[in-house]
Structure formats: structure tokens, C-alpha cells
Amino acid sequence: MKVPKTIEWITKHRNMPIPGHIRMIDQTRLPSRLVFLEITDLHQIWTAIKTLQVRGAPAIGIAAAMGIVAAVQNSRVKTGIQLAAEACRAADYLATSRPTAVNLFWAIKRMKELANAHADMPPAKLKILLAKEAVAIRDEDADMCRAIGKFGVKFLKKGYTILTHCNAGGLATAEYGTALAPIYTALDKGMKIKVYADETRPLLQGARLTAWELMQAGIDVTLICDNMAAHVMKHKKINAVMVGADRIAANGDAANKIGTYGVALLAKAHKIPFYVLAPTSTFDLSLKNGSRIPIEERTEKEITEGFGRRTAPKRVKVYSPAFDVTPAELITAIVCEKGIARPDFRKSLARFAGK
Ligand code: MRU
């Protein structure tokens, strides 16, 4: 499958990661145009995350890690302590971009810990170390997605039809995706799988991104509006629902794109298995359950004037949560790079997270 890389760190010299810059697909331009952003600036990466030019939980973690490197690579400070402090300031700023996907905070914490642990190094060396770490975060995510595909494909059989919500594909990760990984793995094995993609109001990640990337890969995808899912489950043969996640609490409650909870309820009503696929970087075991997961609320314009056309009366009251939490009891299994967790999720999630 040849799909361009969602996000990468570009350097002139193969073995020297500094100086470099971020190259990423501008996901707000898809599907009409495949445009790449070349980013060297901290504020630009913050804006790219905020405005969903890069989106999807793992991808924004990678973007933040690379953003920290972009922020410090030209620094002229004299000591490693000063450089570590600069990296931490950049990290704290990036942490304000979006609240729900824990991968963002996971990557930021990893970069800050590395900077502080090596603050005794000369700044030039610490910069290289940070750049290598950001690249490692990207590469590890790519590996985790392949592993998720290998475990998740166990739930698929030749000719199956899957329903998915939002985009948890290659565009949302380093490559390959989480919810879509088993479908790509099946394709690599020569198994044909059909997909129904929910459009995913209001920002249409399903229509713009999932449909686009599945078509690029030659997968049979049918686009539906979100409110068609119940009808499709009743009248078409849907063998499984596969979705990604932005944060999974210790008991298995899983936050994902708004509308996922509704899809899970529909799946239960139609006796269709509902799988959540996410790397361990999406686990937040500090939260006992999903009730404390911060839910991002986005601007009303995304609902009243989505994509430039007003579709609601001026001054109408709007509520726009970007995520919801699917309770663990609606989830058949959680698939991560280390294996498959089944209810009760607590023990297996803790084991996979290495706790
Ligand atoms: O607002 P978005 O587009 O960043 O939301 C993305 C999702 O909800 C994805 O399903 C989730 O991040 C998993 S991506 C592997």
C-alpha cells in the first residue's frame, strides 16, 4: 500500500537529525488536494494541531514531539539546563492545543523527561537527542499500528463488512492506522473486506479522510451519513464495528470522536461486535473510568458554518463536544500493539501498559 507519510521529520543529512523540519499532510485540504506543510515554527505546529491540519490521537502526539525539536533546534543558549527549560516551555505551550487525546500529553511528557534527564549535556548534543526521540516516537507508532493490525485481523474473515467512525487510519497515526489497521492487514493477506464509513459530522473526517485513504488503498468503501448507521446495521450485513480512541481509562471506558458512543449503542442493539483499537500510548490508567476524560468543545462555527456555508440561523445556541465516551460494557474487545484485552478490561489494560 503506497500512501504518503502523514508526518515526518525531514533532514538534509541522513545520520544527523538537526537541522530539520516537519513535513506533514495538511488534512484540512483533503480530499480535494494533497498538500504538504513544511513546518519549522512552534506556533505553526500549535495552530496545525488546533485547526486539525494534523489530527488523530497518535499523529498529534508525534507532531508535538517534533514541534518541541523545531522550537529548540536553533536555540543559542549556553547550557543543557537552559535548553531543557526551553524544551519544557515549548512542551507546555503545545499541551494547550487540544485536551482530549492523551497521546499528546504522553509524547510531551516523554520529551520533557528526556530533556530534564540529560540537562547536563551540552545543548548541541541535547538537541540531537531530542530530535532522535521525536523520530523514534513516530517510528514506534508505525510499528504499533502494524502490530494492532496483526491482532485485529483475527476478528476478520474474508468478505466481512466493517463499519467505522471518524478517521483512525494512516492519516491519524504515523502510518497504517489503528481501527483501519486490521483492514489493511487483511488486504495484505489478500482478504477482501468492505467498509462503511460514517461521514462524521461536523468536520467530516469519515467522508474527507477515511473514504479518501481507503480508496487510495483500493478498499471497497461506502460512505454514509452518521444518521444512517442504524438503518445500515439493520439492513446490510455489518460484521463488526472498528473504531479508534483518544483516551482509554483504566476500566476500558474509551473516548473517541463524537458519535462513537451512539454507534456503540447501535452495535449492541444489533448484536454486532464493537472493537476499539488503539496503542498503549492512548491508555490513561490514572483515570479510574471515563467520567474525568476532558472533552474538547469546539467553536460553534464548525456546526453553523461548516466548510464556509451557513446552515443554521444566526445567533442560534450551539453545543459542540468533539468527543464522547463509550462505556466499557459496550466494548467487545480493546486491541493494542501488545494484544487483545477483553472484559473485564482492568487487568489486561494494566498488564499491557506494563503496570
Ligand atoms: O478530532 P480528531 O479528528 O482528531 O479526532 C480523531 C479521532 O477521534 C480518532 O478516532 C482517534 O484520534 C483515534 S486515531 C487513531
PDB file of all heavy atoms in Angstrom, residues 6 12 18 22 29 54 86 91 97 112 116 122-123 133 155-156 166 232 250 271 347:
ATOM      1  N   THR A   6       2.027  10.574   6.752  1.00  0.00           N
ATOM      2  CA  THR A   6       1.205  11.602   7.389  1.00  0.00           C
ATOM      3  C   THR A   6       2.078  12.719   7.946  1.00  0.00           C
ATOM      4  O   THR A   6       1.789  13.896   7.782  1.00  0.00           O
ATOM      5  CB  THR A   6       0.412  10.959   8.556  1.00  0.00           C
ATOM      6  OG1 THR A   6      -0.303   9.857   8.032  1.00  0.00           O
ATOM      7  CG2 THR A   6      -0.529  11.942   9.207  1.00  0.00           C
ATOM      8  N   LYS A  12      18.585  17.113   6.079  1.00  0.00           N
ATOM      9  CA  LYS A  12      19.456  17.066   4.899  1.00  0.00           C
ATOM     10  C   LYS A  12      20.372  15.868   4.970  1.00  0.00           C
ATOM     11  O   LYS A  12      20.620  15.189   3.991  1.00  0.00           O
ATOM     12  CB  LYS A  12      20.310  18.342   4.850  1.00  0.00           C
ATOM     13  CG  LYS A  12      19.650  19.458   4.104  1.00  0.00           C
ATOM     14  CD  LYS A  12      20.690  20.409   3.539  1.00  0.00           C
ATOM     15  CE  LYS A  12      19.986  21.597   2.932  1.00  0.00           C
ATOM     16  NZ  LYS A  12      20.405  22.869   3.524  1.00  0.00           N
ATOM     17  N   ILE A  18      19.522  17.132  13.046  1.00  0.00           N
ATOM     18  CA  ILE A  18      19.456  18.589  13.218  1.00  0.00           C
ATOM     19  C   ILE A  18      20.390  19.239  12.200  1.00  0.00           C
ATOM     20  O   ILE A  18      21.528  18.769  12.083  1.00  0.00           O
ATOM     21  CB  ILE A  18      19.932  18.986  14.637  1.00  0.00           C
ATOM     22  CG1 ILE A  18      19.030  18.386  15.710  1.00  0.00           C
ATOM     23  CG2 ILE A  18      20.061  20.475  14.789  1.00  0.00           C
ATOM     24  CD1 ILE A  18      17.802  19.152  16.025  1.00  0.00           C
ATOM     25  N   ILE A  22       9.477  19.717  10.030  1.00  0.00           N
ATOM     26  CA  ILE A  22       8.347  18.783   9.977  1.00  0.00           C
ATOM     27  C   ILE A  22       7.692  18.885   8.600  1.00  0.00           C
ATOM     28  O   ILE A  22       7.413  19.989   8.129  1.00  0.00           O
ATOM     29  CB  ILE A  22       7.296  19.130  11.057  1.00  0.00           C
ATOM     30  CG1 ILE A  22       7.938  19.156  12.452  1.00  0.00           C
ATOM     31  CG2 ILE A  22       6.114  18.160  11.006  1.00  0.00           C
ATOM     32  CD1 ILE A  22       7.077  19.837  13.506  1.00  0.00           C
ATOM     33  N   ARG A  29      -7.092  20.051   3.800  1.00  0.00           N
ATOM     34  CA  ARG A  29      -7.230  20.227   2.340  1.00  0.00           C
ATOM     35  C   ARG A  29      -7.748  18.972   1.649  1.00  0.00           C
ATOM     36  O   ARG A  29      -8.125  19.018   0.468  1.00  0.00           O
ATOM     37  CB  ARG A  29      -5.882  20.624   1.726  1.00  0.00           C
ATOM     38  CG  ARG A  29      -5.232  21.853   2.353  1.00  0.00           C
ATOM     39  CD  ARG A  29      -5.999  23.137   2.096  1.00  0.00           C
ATOM     40  NE  ARG A  29      -5.991  23.501   0.702  1.00  0.00           N
ATOM     41  CZ  ARG A  29      -5.031  24.224   0.110  1.00  0.00           C
ATOM     42  NH1 ARG A  29      -4.019  24.658   0.829  1.00  0.00           N
ATOM     43  NH2 ARG A  29      -5.094  24.521  -1.161  1.00  0.00           N
ATOM     44  N   VAL A  54      -3.232  18.614  11.349  1.00  0.00           N
ATOM     45  CA  VAL A  54      -2.802  17.275  11.754  1.00  0.00           C
ATOM     46  C   VAL A  54      -3.764  16.884  12.862  1.00  0.00           C
ATOM     47  O   VAL A  54      -4.066  17.682  13.737  1.00  0.00           O
ATOM     48  CB  VAL A  54      -1.322  17.252  12.211  1.00  0.00           C
ATOM     49  CG1 VAL A  54      -1.050  18.166  13.380  1.00  0.00           C
ATOM     50  CG2 VAL A  54      -0.880  15.829  12.569  1.00  0.00           C
ATOM     51  N   GLU A  86      13.888  25.418  27.888  1.00  0.00           N
ATOM     52  CA  GLU A  86      13.223  25.889  26.654  1.00  0.00           C
ATOM     53  C   GLU A  86      12.320  24.807  26.084  1.00  0.00           C
ATOM     54  O   GLU A  86      11.202  25.070  25.648  1.00  0.00           O
ATOM     55  CB  GLU A  86      14.273  26.264  25.593  1.00  0.00           C
ATOM     56  CG  GLU A  86      14.725  27.689  25.703  1.00  0.00           C
ATOM     57  CD  GLU A  86      15.577  28.129  24.502  1.00  0.00           C
ATOM     58  OE1 GLU A  86      15.664  27.395  23.489  1.00  0.00           O
ATOM     59  OE2 GLU A  86      16.172  29.212  24.601  1.00  0.00           O
ATOM     60  N   ALA A  91       6.937  22.545  25.252  1.00  0.00           N
ATOM     61  CA  ALA A  91       6.049  21.402  25.510  1.00  0.00           C
ATOM     62  C   ALA A  91       4.774  21.864  26.212  1.00  0.00           C
ATOM     63  O   ALA A  91       3.663  21.460  25.834  1.00  0.00           O
ATOM     64  CB  ALA A  91       6.794  20.376  26.363  1.00  0.00           C
ATOM     65  N   SER A  97      -2.964  22.915  23.185  1.00  0.00           N
ATOM     66  CA  SER A  97      -3.608  22.930  21.859  1.00  0.00           C
ATOM     67  C   SER A  97      -4.922  22.153  21.829  1.00  0.00           C
ATOM     68  O   SER A  97      -5.932  22.645  21.340  1.00  0.00           O
ATOM     69  CB  SER A  97      -2.646  22.400  20.786  1.00  0.00           C
ATOM     70  OG  SER A  97      -2.207  21.096  21.124  1.00  0.00           O
ATOM     71  N   LYS A 112       9.816  15.845  27.659  1.00  0.00           N
ATOM     72  CA  LYS A 112      10.259  16.653  28.805  1.00  0.00           C
ATOM     73  C   LYS A 112      11.160  15.838  29.722  1.00  0.00           C
ATOM     74  O   LYS A 112      12.192  16.324  30.191  1.00  0.00           O
ATOM     75  CB  LYS A 112       9.029  17.125  29.606  1.00  0.00           C
ATOM     76  CG  LYS A 112       8.343  18.341  29.024  1.00  0.00           C
ATOM     77  CD  LYS A 112       7.069  18.666  29.761  1.00  0.00           C
ATOM     78  CE  LYS A 112       7.273  19.540  30.946  1.00  0.00           C
ATOM     79  NZ  LYS A 112       5.987  20.069  31.484  1.00  0.00           N
ATOM     80  N   ASN A 116      15.008  16.779  30.666  1.00  0.00           N
ATOM     81  CA  ASN A 116      15.429  17.023  32.048  1.00  0.00           C
ATOM     82  C   ASN A 116      16.467  16.003  32.513  1.00  0.00           C
ATOM     83  O   ASN A 116      17.376  16.344  33.254  1.00  0.00           O
ATOM     84  CB  ASN A 116      14.217  17.023  32.986  1.00  0.00           C
ATOM     85  CG  ASN A 116      13.379  18.279  32.778  1.00  0.00           C
ATOM     86  OD1 ASN A 116      13.914  19.341  32.456  1.00  0.00           O
ATOM     87  ND2 ASN A 116      12.069  18.158  32.929  1.00  0.00           N
ATOM     88  N   PRO A 122      25.886  19.156  26.807  1.00  0.00           N
ATOM     89  CA  PRO A 122      25.968  20.422  26.060  1.00  0.00           C
ATOM     90  C   PRO A 122      24.714  20.565  25.193  1.00  0.00           C
ATOM     91  O   PRO A 122      24.185  19.542  24.704  1.00  0.00           O
ATOM     92  CB  PRO A 122      27.210  20.252  25.185  1.00  0.00           C
ATOM     93  CG  PRO A 122      27.867  18.991  25.619  1.00  0.00           C
ATOM     94  CD  PRO A 122      26.932  18.204  26.454  1.00  0.00           C
ATOM     95  N   PRO A 123      24.231  21.790  24.981  1.00  0.00           N
ATOM     96  CA  PRO A 123      22.988  21.998  24.219  1.00  0.00           C
ATOM     97  C   PRO A 123      22.987  21.308  22.849  1.00  0.00           C
ATOM     98  O   PRO A 123      21.971  20.720  22.461  1.00  0.00           O
ATOM     99  CB  PRO A 123      22.908  23.514  24.063  1.00  0.00           C
ATOM    100  CG  PRO A 123      23.741  24.060  25.143  1.00  0.00           C
ATOM    101  CD  PRO A 123      24.781  23.045  25.492  1.00  0.00           C
ATOM    102  N   GLU A 133      14.615  11.297  19.585  1.00  0.00           N
ATOM    103  CA  GLU A 133      13.465  10.792  20.346  1.00  0.00           C
ATOM    104  C   GLU A 133      12.151  11.055  19.585  1.00  0.00           C
ATOM    105  O   GLU A 133      11.280  10.193  19.517  1.00  0.00           O
ATOM    106  CB  GLU A 133      13.416  11.485  21.719  1.00  0.00           C
ATOM    107  CG  GLU A 133      12.408  10.894  22.682  1.00  0.00           C
ATOM    108  CD  GLU A 133      12.824   9.535  23.258  1.00  0.00           C
ATOM    109  OE1 GLU A 133      13.881   8.996  22.858  1.00  0.00           O
ATOM    110  OE2 GLU A 133      12.090   9.012  24.099  1.00  0.00           O
ATOM    111  N   PHE A 155     -10.157 -10.779  14.090  1.00  0.00           N
ATOM    112  CA  PHE A 155     -11.608 -10.610  14.166  1.00  0.00           C
ATOM    113  C   PHE A 155     -12.265 -10.546  12.783  1.00  0.00           C
ATOM    114  O   PHE A 155     -13.468 -10.361  12.673  1.00  0.00           O
ATOM    115  CB  PHE A 155     -11.953  -9.334  14.944  1.00  0.00           C
ATOM    116  CG  PHE A 155     -11.538  -9.390  16.384  1.00  0.00           C
ATOM    117  CD1 PHE A 155     -10.644  -8.467  16.903  1.00  0.00           C
ATOM    118  CD2 PHE A 155     -12.026 -10.385  17.226  1.00  0.00           C
ATOM    119  CE1 PHE A 155     -10.246  -8.525  18.230  1.00  0.00           C
ATOM    120  CE2 PHE A 155     -11.642 -10.446  18.568  1.00  0.00           C
ATOM    121  CZ  PHE A 155     -10.750  -9.513  19.063  1.00  0.00           C
ATOM    122  N   LEU A 156     -11.449 -10.650  11.733  1.00  0.00           N
ATOM    123  CA  LEU A 156     -11.984 -10.515  10.381  1.00  0.00           C
ATOM    124  C   LEU A 156     -11.966 -11.847   9.631  1.00  0.00           C
ATOM    125  O   LEU A 156     -11.102 -12.686   9.873  1.00  0.00           O
ATOM    126  CB  LEU A 156     -11.161  -9.481   9.587  1.00  0.00           C
ATOM    127  CG  LEU A 156     -11.108  -8.065  10.151  1.00  0.00           C
ATOM    128  CD1 LEU A 156     -10.277  -7.163   9.243  1.00  0.00           C
ATOM    129  CD2 LEU A 156     -12.504  -7.487  10.327  1.00  0.00           C
ATOM    130  N   CYS A 166     -15.346   8.264  12.139  1.00  0.00           N
ATOM    131  CA  CYS A 166     -14.229   9.218  12.117  1.00  0.00           C
ATOM    132  C   CYS A 166     -13.088   8.652  11.265  1.00  0.00           C
ATOM    133  O   CYS A 166     -13.318   7.827  10.359  1.00  0.00           O
ATOM    134  CB  CYS A 166     -13.756   9.564  13.522  1.00  0.00           C
ATOM    135  SG  CYS A 166     -12.634  10.980  13.577  1.00  0.00           S
ATOM    136  N   VAL A 232     -28.326   1.004   8.282  1.00  0.00           N
ATOM    137  CA  VAL A 232     -27.327   0.142   7.631  1.00  0.00           C
ATOM    138  C   VAL A 232     -27.097  -1.125   8.468  1.00  0.00           C
ATOM    139  O   VAL A 232     -27.020  -2.227   7.931  1.00  0.00           O
ATOM    140  CB  VAL A 232     -26.004   0.927   7.409  1.00  0.00           C
ATOM    141  CG1 VAL A 232     -24.860   0.000   7.028  1.00  0.00           C
ATOM    142  CG2 VAL A 232     -26.204   1.991   6.336  1.00  0.00           C
ATOM    143  N   ALA A 250      -8.769   3.332  32.881  1.00  0.00           N
ATOM    144  CA  ALA A 250      -8.330   2.044  33.436  1.00  0.00           C
ATOM    145  C   ALA A 250      -9.395   0.948  33.331  1.00  0.00           C
ATOM    146  O   ALA A 250      -9.067  -0.228  33.212  1.00  0.00           O
ATOM    147  CB  ALA A 250      -7.920   2.243  34.887  1.00  0.00           C
ATOM    148  N   LYS A 271     -26.569  -6.544  17.933  1.00  0.00           N
ATOM    149  CA  LYS A 271     -25.694  -7.703  18.259  1.00  0.00           C
ATOM    150  C   LYS A 271     -24.456  -7.782  17.352  1.00  0.00           C
ATOM    151  O   LYS A 271     -24.072  -8.844  16.860  1.00  0.00           O
ATOM    152  CB  LYS A 271     -26.486  -9.012  18.203  1.00  0.00           C
ATOM    153  CG  LYS A 271     -27.634  -9.050  19.190  1.00  0.00           C
ATOM    154  CD  LYS A 271     -28.255 -10.423  19.264  1.00  0.00           C
ATOM    155  CE  LYS A 271     -29.276 -10.560  20.370  1.00  0.00           C
ATOM    156  NZ  LYS A 271     -30.293  -9.493  20.428  1.00  0.00           N
ATOM    157  N   LYS A 347      -7.534  -5.606  34.335  1.00  0.00           N
ATOM    158  CA  LYS A 347      -6.265  -6.329  34.499  1.00  0.00           C
ATOM    159  C   LYS A 347      -5.452  -6.325  33.210  1.00  0.00           C
ATOM    160  O   LYS A 347      -4.258  -6.081  33.211  1.00  0.00           O
ATOM    161  CB  LYS A 347      -6.549  -7.777  34.900  1.00  0.00           C
ATOM    162  CG  LYS A 347      -6.636  -7.937  36.381  1.00  0.00           C
ATOM    163  CD  LYS A 347      -6.569  -9.394  36.756  1.00  0.00           C
ATOM    164  CE  LYS A 347      -6.906  -9.514  38.238  1.00  0.00           C
ATOM    165  NZ  LYS A 347      -7.544 -10.769  38.551  1.00  0.00           N
TER     166      LYS A 347
END
